[in-house]
Amino acid sequence: MLRTALRNVLAHKARLMMTVLAVMLGVAFVAGTLVFTDTLGNAFKNQSAKGYDKIAVVVESRDEAGLPAETLKKIQGLGEVDEATGRVDGFAGVADQDGKLIGNGWANAGGNFAPGKDGKDADYDFTQGNGPAKADEIALDKETAKKGEYKVGDTVRVATNGPVKEYTLTGVFTTENGAVNAGGSLVLFDTAVAQELYLKPGHYDTIKVTAKEGTADSAVLAGVQPLLPKDTDAETGTKLADEEAELIKREMSNMSTMLLSFAGIALFVGIFLIANTFTMLVAQRTRELALMRAVGASRRQVKRSVILEALLVGVIASAVGFVLGLGLAVGLRSLVGSFGAKIPNGPLVISPDAILAALAVGVVVTVLAAWLPARRAAKIPPVAAMSSVHAAASAKSLLVRNVIGALLTAGGAGLIAAGAGTSNGTTGRYMIASGAFLALIGVIVLIPQLSRPLIALVRPLLHGVFGVAGKLAGQNAVRNPRRTGATASALAIGLTLVTGLTVIGVTVGQAIDKSTTDNIRADYLVSMADSGRSLDPSAVTALAKAKGVEAISPRQNASFDIKDSYQSVSGVDPKGVEGVFHLKTVSGSLNTLADGQLAIAEKTAEKNGWTPGDQVPVTFHRDDVKTDKTLTVGAVFEDNDMVSSYLLDTKVIAPFEEKPSIPEVWVKMAGGETKANEQALVDALGDNPAMSVMDKQDIRNLFGGMINTMLNIMYGLLAMALIIAVLGVVNTLAMSVFERQQEIGMLRAIGLDRRRVKRMIRLEAVVISLFGAVIGIALGAFLGWAIGETFREEIPGYELVLPWARIGIFLLLAGVVGVLAAMWPARSAARLNMLTAIKTE
């Protein structure tokens, strides 16, 4: 049996090559994911450990004011301490020679140069010059200096959250700082300058402590802790390194899980291709297997022979796939680097777990997929040796299959519908996921039964447009419903996921876009390039003076407590708020904001029974000081997603905020969106590279662009499954051509020329592909609707959108897939020698 299996593997190279390719692609995805995440995790873990190298204790302040210099001096005076260094950090954006921001905004950082006893800063290795020593000096990381084409002595424009300033570059350094590795930049200022920019004079964000030789970290920590003010944390460097390593491991695990889920989809689709391949091989060897039974081979031996073939194919494909996966891991690492992120140097990590997992997955999937064909092979009676015709499935087996498929589909659809109607979104999504799995399995079981009536609908069209070739293609597509169904299932799975994601993405995107359009009047939104940072109040003042400004208002973040319950508040300018936002007054007047009164969103007001004139007791917090205040409700307005449920004049908030938090400023310009108006705002900000001026389209992209980005990533990850589905179509057509050699020879003999033979095969492929696409699109749209219903309440203005244009593209691509997949089988069919084919049994 081993010799027989080996001979059969080598005897059908073309068929098995496609199976090997399907398994190989799936295994490569699994192996590449595991190796890539292990490599990435190891590199970041080593980088993290290096960052804490020689650090005995790290002290961090939870207070916005930071750690006072007195604390640093006390720590430096401890006998166990070798050195203690105060660190300050914040945002800093560097302009290139054209005035554009270097880096990606969120990873642009600033810090302080803190020389030790030897005049060097242990965290940075200078390749040129030295650290800043004066207020007008800075140092840059090597990558940023290279991108900006700066050298020591040049003048560099740097912005924090206020006006842009010019500094002299005194040095260039290398660093393992996370901001630089993430594709950002790092600017080092003199310590006094950094404190002025980010905290206040004489204060630090963190203090890093090194121990004298022979002193344990725990001893240093014990000496440091009594010296620390309240709201301060201290921990050993070793423990922090371990915690960071664990965090990295968890993040890598999450990434690995996501990528492996797509690898699982690819392998699941591959099951249909593998099953089809072995079904073909069994059909081709009906007489051979029957003869084996006739000369004494048992059913178990025949079954074992087919399983052994699958095992050999799985081992070979898994081994090749693993090697391919190593290349994929290297490619992914390079791809991440091409987006600007710098991955720390480190070796490619190939763990035994990754090797075993990849090989096991490939072998198990292949053997499982071949089990049913092997079972069928074992049932071939010896009398079949007298004929090449394999027995058709019994009516009973088809009835059982259809009943099981109908029950699974109905149960899955019921769960999906129930999940869509559940008030708890999280519970509903779990129900939908379970229902989707059952429904998908049920549809896959039913697809052979569905193929006949659905394909029958287009057969008249095929005959009418393409003549005899079209008629034959329609008949051939349903000749073997099981094989057609298995092939269509592979495409259906991929397009179910693609369509579901598209329906959700387009619907949510349109809801966000509509919300953005309906809620704002402003022409421009001004914010920091790092959207998480706050603008300096001077930016608001400068913008208000810009030429052409009709209305302007910041949206300042603030808060107060109502009955010990935290509430978010938006601080606005009473003069400009109605000019930049669509705020429809329900009762009262928004003009009362200028009088220090409170405006409340309608739903919040109804919930609490508040109307204009009511008194609302609130508690403001500043540091540890609580201030009770009674505010009068001046207006109730319709809910607006751009602002909080509570609005106050920024002047009312000011006494209770040490430093205002202004993430954005909204501006309405005379004449609307024009290049001149945008330039006026840019000029008012001093051509600041760290501040972005966004028009309405940019605003839409800001809120909805991430959805399109995520969709594109998902499409890319699902491409592997679709490629395998295409291989399945090729396999099915190849089998169809093999089974119909005599028929094709007869057709050629009675006048069907090669061109029409090719057309027949192509049309058959297109019909099967479109059949799978229609099933997948229908199921995907249903899932998209159901999932959308679970977060309808979370997204105002949510209404289901069926993206007909994209659905049309999916159908078109399915047709193209059919045409491309048919190229080789169609060419083989057209080249058959008609006399040889007629003699084929």
Side-chain angles (χ1 to χ4, degrees), residues 435-757:
F437 179 75
L438 288 177
L440 197 57
I441 297 298
V443 167
I444 288 169
V445 173
L446 280 177
I447 268 185
Q449 185 68 18
L450 295 172
S451 63
R452 290 185 182 276
L454 289 180
I455 294 177
L457 295 175
V458 298
R459 281 169 63 179
L461 177 65
L462 291 172
H463 188 192
V465 176
F466 300 102
V468 174
K471 181 179 180 180
L472 292 170
Q475 292 174 343
N476 293 334
V478 293
R479 176 173 292 188
N480 190 327
R482 283 188 171 180
R483 191 168 61 236
T484 296
T487 305
S489 296
L491 280 169
I493 293 167
L495 282 172
T496 294
L497 298 171
V498 168
T499 304
L501 289 169
T502 301
V503 169
I504 296 169
V506 171
T507 302
V508 172
Q510 183 162 309
I512 292 173
D513 186 69
K514 185 176 183 296
S515 174
T516 303
T517 304
D518 291 348
N519 289 326
I520 65 171
R521 299 178 189 270
D523 298 309
Y524 295 99
L525 166 63
V526 179
S527 66
M528 296 296 294
D530 174 6
S531 57
R533 302 280 179 179
S534 172
L535 287 160
D536 190 83
S538 62
V540 183
T541 304
L543 288 167
K545 296 177 181 178
K547 182 181 178 181
V549 172
E550 281 190 347
I552 181 172
S553 175
R555 187 190 63 78
Q556 182 174 327
N557 289 334
S559 65
F560 52 49
D561 290 346
I562 297 178
K563 297 179 181 179
D564 296 325
S565 176
Y566 172 89
Q567 303 295 330
S568 174
V569 181
S570 290
V572 297
D573 184 339
K575 295 178 182 178
V577 65
E578 290 186 273
V580 297
F581 297 120
H582 282 288
L583 294 176
K584 186 175 180 180
T585 305
V586 176
S587 57
S589 172
L590 288 170
N591 292 331
T592 57
L593 285 169
D595 301 325
Q597 295 187 17
L598 180 67
I600 306 177
E602 184 178 15
K603 291 180 181 178
T604 303
E606 288 179 354
K607 181 180 178 181
N608 292 278
W610 291 325
T611 58
D614 287 349
Q615 305 292 305
V616 180
V618 302
T619 302
F620 286 96
H621 295 262
R622 178 171 177 174
D623 298 329
D624 293 330
V625 178
K626 295 182 180 180
T627 303
D628 294 325
K629 190 175 178 66
T630 300
L631 297 174
T632 302
V633 178
V636 175
F637 62 92
E638 286 188 359
D639 289 69
N640 186 301
D641 295 332
M642 296 295 116
V643 295
S644 301
S645 297
Y646 299 93
L647 299 183
L648 276 176
D649 186 347
T650 53
K651 293 177 182 176
V652 175
I653 297 170
F656 310 106
E657 298 285 330
E658 183 175 351
K659 193 173 184 180
S661 173
I662 308 173
E664 56 201 35
V665 178
W666 298 82
V667 186
K668 178 73 175 174
M669 301 292 286
E673 296 177 65
T674 65
K675 289 185 178 179
N677 280 340
E678 184 174 341
Q679 190 60 48
L681 296 179
V682 171
D683 292 342
L685 294 168
D687 195 15
N688 193 321
M691 297 182 186
S692 64
V693 178
M694 291 179 278
D695 59 22
K696 287 182 178 177
Q697 187 55 52
D698 294 329
I699 296 169
R700 291 190 184 99
N701 293 339
L702 175 68
F703 291 104
M706 183 59 70
I707 293 172
N708 288 328
T709 300
M710 290 302 297
L711 275 178
N712 291 333
I713 292 172
M714 296 296 182
Y715 290 161
L717 292 172
L718 287 171
M720 188 79 73
L722 294 175
I723 290 171
I724 295 173
V726 172
L727 295 176
V729 178
V730 175
N731 240 5
T732 294
L733 293 174
M735 181 58 183
S736 180
V737 170
F738 170 80
E739 287 181 344
R740 304 199 313 264
Q741 286 186 62
Q742 188 178 59
E743 177 188 313
I744 292 170
M746 290 293 293
L747 290 171
R748 293 276 288 113
I750 62 175
L752 193 69
D753 59 23
R754 289 184 175 183
R755 180 171 57 85
R756 282 187 287 181
V757 169

